Amino acid sequence: MFPIETAEKIKSMEIRGAGRIARAAAEALRAQALCSKASFPLAFVDEMERAAELLVSTRPTAVSLPNAVHMVMAGIGRAKTVEEARAGVVERADEFIQSSQHAVEKIAEFGARHIRDGDTILTHCNSEVALGCIIEAHRSGKEIEVFATEVRPRNQGLITIRTLNDAGIKTNYIVDSAVRSFINDIDLVIVGADAVTVNGAVVNKIGTSQVAHSAHEARVNVLVAAETYKFAPRTIIGEQIQIEERAAGEVLPDEIARTLPHVTVRNPAFDVTPAEYIDMIVTEQGAIPPQMAYVIIKEYLGWDIGEFHKAFEINTGHIE
Ligand code: RUB
């Protein structure tokens, strides 16, 4: 699929979830590189940069998206010909997609070990990696039960309960506001992430911080399943994660909103859970306490300070 089509599908949430968004963007850049008719390297770079910007502009919160685009675009490197640049992009895109799929499997394997036989797990939203851990625990023979939230306003919980049902896992479907009522029945909370900041805070679907707060109060452990490409390098230089605010119509139909001129609907799609409410983050490199996010950004994601400066210059339009 080409970048324009992929961008539309990400915007409309036909493609959603941080990992899937990242892989779709890598795939779109690969398709663009393969079909490019650019006859000299600068034209190729220009075309690829426009595609990259379009993809990154679709949804602002999931850091996996700019990280994936950055990794694929780095394939252009110092290519001297269009063919070299094209091959570099294709190679990096393939590498990213493969390593992303491998990461999802590794996290399922590691995360499942934290689930005990007889555990009741609560999950919020629809995270491929969080569900991977749960399904792997079930597959390995552990008797488990799940509570899954509805996830207003887009009801991603429906996708979650279908997946759990298809896997044959006993599941309870609850409205978001019922989490605290059931928290004492829960042994472990498992959620995914759209971004992890340098101080170990986790950005995920709106409501995650309330779930984590309830869990913390009830002394229930919170496990976050997140691939290393969901860690946000630019938070090291003080950049904040932008929380997407979506259309009011997702929460309140326009025809009702029109009759309520004094009412403003707010619809943030994500929230921030502080590190102190998170017990561990399971990555494909192993489990870490959230306070070790810096190590993942530096050691595994491999961003060096030169790249921070470059990213900073691009963002501020300031070139030294
Ligand atoms: C999805 C969401 C998911 C994370 C992780 O939000 O918050 O928990 O993206 O998902 P939306 P995954 O539905 O608005 O995209 O583990 O699949 O990457």
Side-chain angles (χ1 to χ4, degrees):
M1 209 188 307
F2 292 109
I4 292 186
E5 212 181 333
T6 302
E8 276 318 307
K9 291 196 173 178
I10 295 175
K11 265 194 216 155
S12 68
M13 291 177 65
E14 197 177 316
I15 299 173
R16 51 147 299 283
R20 288 191 175 92
I21 289 173
R23 287 193 296 274
E27 182 62 54
L29 288 173
R30 182 185 194 280
Q32 185 71 38
L34 283 173
C35 82
S36 172
K37 303 232 179 319
S39 45
F40 52 97
L42 260 182
F44 179 81
V45 171
D46 188 52
E47 185 181 323
M48 291 305 298
E49 276 179 352
R50 270 184 285 124
E53 272 164 31
L54 174 72
L55 290 162
V56 170
S57 71
T58 51
R59 291 190 78 188
T61 304
V63 168
S64 51
L65 174 57
N67 278 351
V69 166
H70 176 85
M71 289 177 201
V72 174
M73 292 293 283
I76 295 175
R78 297 187 193 286
K80 292 194 178 59
T81 64
V82 172
E83 274 327 305
E84 256 176 63
R86 191 192 324 269
V89 169
V90 170
E91 191 185 321
R92 289 294 188 106
D94 288 342
E95 234 172 72
F96 177 80
I97 293 164
Q98 257 181 36
S99 68
S100 164
Q101 277 154 351
H102 184 243
V104 173
E105 285 161 25
K106 270 279 162 234
I107 293 171
E109 183 190 327
F110 297 159
R113 295 193 185 128
H114 292 279
I115 300 173
R116 294 162 307 177
D117 193 25
D119 270 357
T120 300
I121 298 148
L122 184 137
T123 191
H124 181 61
C125 196
N126 177 257
S127 158
E128 181 185 22
V129 270
L131 284 180
C133 302
I134 296 170
I135 291 169
E136 179 55 29
H138 170 76
R139 208 197 50 77
S140 67
K142 291 174 189 168
E143 189 90 16
I144 53 170
E145 184 170 342
V146 177
F147 277 69
T149 49
E150 186 180 25
V151 195
R152 277 272 292 153
R154 297 290 300 231
N155 294 18
Q156 287 92 332
L158 274 180
I159 314 171
T160 295
I161 59 170
R162 269 203 198 103
T163 305
L164 292 168
N165 180 71
D166 291 350
I169 297 172
K170 188 172 176 209
T171 301
N172 305 275
Y173 187 44
I174 59 170
V175 297
D176 302 322
S177 43
V179 166
R180 195 157 178 262
S181 298
F182 287 110
I183 200 71
N184 290 321
D185 300 334
I186 304 299
D187 299 298
L188 180 66
V189 170
I190 307 184
V191 290
D194 283 84
V196 181
T197 66
V198 68
N199 65 355
V202 168
V203 182
N204 192 48
K205 180 53 56 194
I206 190 78
T208 302
S209 67
Q210 283 181 184
V211 171
H213 187 252
S214 293
H216 185 72
E217 181 193 40
R219 295 169 187 265
V220 172
N221 282 347
V222 175
L223 187 154
V224 174
E227 306 91 306
T228 51
Y229 55 80
K230 291 177 181 165
F231 286 65
R234 289 181 199 170
T235 55
I236 285 190
I237 54 165
E239 210 173 285
Q240 309 255 313
I241 303 292
Q242 194 188 328
I243 302 292
E244 175 184 12
E245 183 139 2
R246 296 188 59 89
E250 288 187 347
V251 177
L252 191 68
D254 290 343
E255 56 275 23
I256 299 178
R258 268 196 293 276
T259 67
L260 305 167
H262 302 294
V263 175
T264 304
V265 174
R266 299 295 311 270
N267 184 20
F270 301 96
D271 66 17
V272 182
T273 301
E276 58 265 34
Y277 293 164
I278 298 158
D279 292 281
M280 84 177 80
I281 304 178
V282 180
T283 77
E284 73 276 17
Q285 299 293 339
I288 57 155
Q291 291 76 9
M292 270 179 68
Y294 176 81
V295 176
I296 293 288
I297 294 171
K298 293 290 283 178
E299 303 288 321
Y300 293 102
L301 217 44
W303 275 57
D304 64 33
I305 206 71
E307 283 183 281
F308 292 133
H309 283 307
K310 194 157 164 269
F312 187 63
E313 283 160 9
I314 289 166
N315 278 345
T316 57
H318 168 74
I319 312 280
E320 278 167 25

